[in-house]
Amino acid sequence: MKYDIPVTKTKHSRLSEVDFDNIPFGRVFSDHMFMADYIDGEWTNLKIIPFDRFAIHPASMVLHYGQAIFEGMKASKSFEGQALFLRPEKHAQRLNVSARRMCMPEIPEELFLEALHQLIAIDQAWIPPQEGSALYIRPYVFGNDEFIGVKPAEKYKFIIFTGPVGPYYPKPVSLIAEDKYVRAVKGGTGEAKAAGNYAGSLLPARIANQKGYDQVMWMDGKEFKYIQEVGTMNIFFVIDGKVITPATDGAILKGITRDSILTILRDKGYQVEERPISIDEVVAAHDAGKLEEVFGTGTAAVVAHVSKIAYKDRVMELPPMEDRKVGAMAKAEIDGLRSGTIKDTHNWIVPVGEYAQVDA
Ligand code: COI
């Protein structure tokens, strides 16, 4: 233990109010949160406290200039009742990739992990045991100077809060290939998990919803030709037995679930390609009857099957769910690792509590 993180426990746990069989995604929050401040060049005021609102100044810079980054991760329970993380250090590292791009101070990996383990150890009773459910964990950092003027903040807040969640997409998603709006371009902030990337996606997503589709499939901003990702997920295509996902090129989020699924597919002997994939290639594969599956991957969604894709004036319907072997296998593998029913051959699973010094 390198960091001293004082804990104040809640006197009024809300746990008994939660219906774990009916958890809406993102609306239920656990009892405690971690907070830290970055002041005078160091992370200080580390604490775990009861989950609650907190005050910031009306001039807090994040509210004007959007210097904010976040992670999304999950803790699950094994079938033996052990609380587990999947690749937590990858999230600590990616938060720092985002921090560098957004000109923010990094969080020492050990601080991130100690705070995470302690917080989840305290609230591990909030991890839902139901299949497909988990404790969603939201670490985030934002610039908090009380100032008007565009510059990197000097003060920041780093917070982790959690909440039990059910599936993000309870059913397969329909997509529109977006040929007007852009999520990210090379050299932009697309590879960072920056709050503004999500704000910019809202209008196109709303337009897609108004047309009866669930999500936008993003294309490159130069030619509107190469597929990048979908909604809040990375995307995979199964074409004629091969699994293809867009190569990360600086404009695409380097998904941790994406990386895990690529590894699982390669382990299982699938032919996997990370390369640019154009919408024309997808249309041609569909027309030739070779577009076997499309699925999105992300922490929240895990694996979300795609039911259909609209592009310009045509709609490509995808094969029925019972034929989606690759996506179903990928999801079963991730779920199996999280529940301890599949052997962890990559040392991805980390039991909660490694750094915890508190009683759960
Ligand atoms: C996740 O997949 O965990 C994300 O962070 C996406 C989110 C906007 C729900």
Side-chain angles (χ1 to χ4, degrees):
M1 298 284 309
K2 184 162 164 196
Y3 295 92
D4 179 32
I5 307 178
V7 175
T8 309
K9 284 206 185 172
T10 182
K11 293 193 173 57
H12 308 285
S13 173
R14 291 170 283 104
L15 185 59
S16 61
E17 296 162 20
V18 181
D19 174 4
F20 279 97
D21 290 317
N22 290 296
I23 326 170
F25 196 102
R27 297 205 179 273
V28 181
F29 304 104
S30 321
D31 278 334
H32 298 91
M33 61 199 269
F34 167 83
M35 286 185 101
D37 292 306
Y38 186 81
I39 303 172
D40 293 334
E42 63 177 352
W43 288 105
T44 182
N45 298 337
L46 316 181
K47 57 188 175 192
I48 291 175
I49 52 175
F51 180 85
D52 205 352
R53 290 174 180 79
F54 58 91
I56 56 172
H57 192 275
S60 175
M61 282 176 72
V62 68
L63 302 176
H64 312 234
Y65 310 116
Q67 205 186 6
I69 55 175
F70 68 97
E71 272 303 308
M73 49 193 301
K74 280 177 173 169
S76 54
K77 278 242 165 95
S78 77
F79 71 97
E80 289 166 322
Q82 165 86 63
L84 306 170
F85 297 118
L86 184 70
R87 311 183 83 186
E89 72 295 341
K90 289 278 169 209
H91 292 274
Q93 289 157 8
R94 190 174 61 180
L95 189 66
N96 283 336
V97 169
S98 302
R100 288 195 286 275
R101 178 61 185 86
M102 303 309 285
C103 211
M104 300 165 79
E106 294 185 29
I107 314 276
E109 200 171 313
E110 253 176 300
L111 168 57
F112 181 102
L113 293 173
E114 285 188 23
L116 180 76
H117 276 267
Q118 294 220 40
L119 180 67
I120 311 310
I122 290 171
D123 275 342
Q124 59 179 285
W126 285 81
I127 304 176
Q130 283 79 353
E131 211 190 307
S133 301
L135 188 70
Y136 192 81
I137 304 166
R138 171 68 83 224
Y140 65 106
V141 187
F142 65 88
N144 196 30
D145 290 17
E146 298 154 9
F147 181 70
I148 299 173
V150 179
K151 68 172 186 73
E154 286 166 20
K155 294 189 198 130
Y156 293 84
K157 275 196 186 293
F158 167 36
I159 295 176
I160 311 177
F161 69 83
T162 72
V165 293
Y168 193 65
Y169 292 118
K171 48 183 188 47
V173 292
S174 53
L175 308 177
I176 290 194
E178 178 60 62
D179 59 1
K180 177 174 176 200
Y181 295 101
V182 181
R183 175 187 173 273
V185 290
K186 287 185 197 175
T189 59
E191 205 170 81
K193 219 163 158 56
N197 291 341
Y198 295 80
S201 75
L202 298 177
L203 176 65
R206 174 181 283 173
I207 295 169
N209 293 159
Q210 284 164 348
K211 292 180 181 163
Y213 287 81
D214 298 311
Q215 281 291 342
V216 166
M217 186 166 83
W218 302 105
M219 312 234 265
D220 78 277
K222 207 168 152 202
E223 299 177 77
F224 286 97
K225 179 172 173 190
Y226 294 101
I227 295 159
Q228 293 183 325
E229 50 183 275
V230 36
T232 59
M233 302 180 285
N234 294 113
I235 188 159
F236 286 72
F237 299 87
V238 184
I239 298 179
D240 203 13
K242 271 188 255 168
V243 189
I244 305 159
T245 192
T248 54
D249 61 353
I252 296 176
L253 188 80
K254 285 190 176 157
I256 295 165
T257 309
R258 171 187 183 277
D259 183 72
S260 303
I261 287 177
L262 283 171
T263 306
I264 291 167
L265 291 168
R266 288 186 174 121
D267 283 355
K268 294 202 171 290
Y270 283 90
Q271 197 180 336
V272 177
E273 296 177 2
E274 288 178 78
R275 61 164 171 84
I277 175 162
S278 71
I279 185 70
D280 299 335
E281 179 178 347
V282 172
V283 171
H286 175 262
D287 290 353
K290 292 183 175 170
L291 183 58
E292 290 155 11
E293 295 185 40
V294 182
F295 57 89
T297 66
T299 299
V302 189
V303 170
H305 294 284
V306 173
S307 54
K308 60 180 176 180
I309 304 175
Y311 176 55
K312 296 198 189 291
D313 54 359
R314 56 178 303 172
V315 178
M316 294 176 274
E317 298 282 349
L318 282 131
M321 276 314 125
E322 58 273 20
D323 295 344
R324 311 290 189 95
K325 303 274 182 303
V326 181
M329 181 281 292
K331 181 169 187 316
E333 288 283 316
I334 300 282
D335 288 347
L337 285 165
R338 287 192 176 283
S339 61
T341 53
I342 286 183
K343 194 167 166 353
D344 171 27
T345 53
H346 296 283
N347 291 326
W348 286 346
I349 293 295
V350 178
V352 170
E354 214 165 68
Y355 296 93
Q357 59 180 2
V358 289
D359 299 331

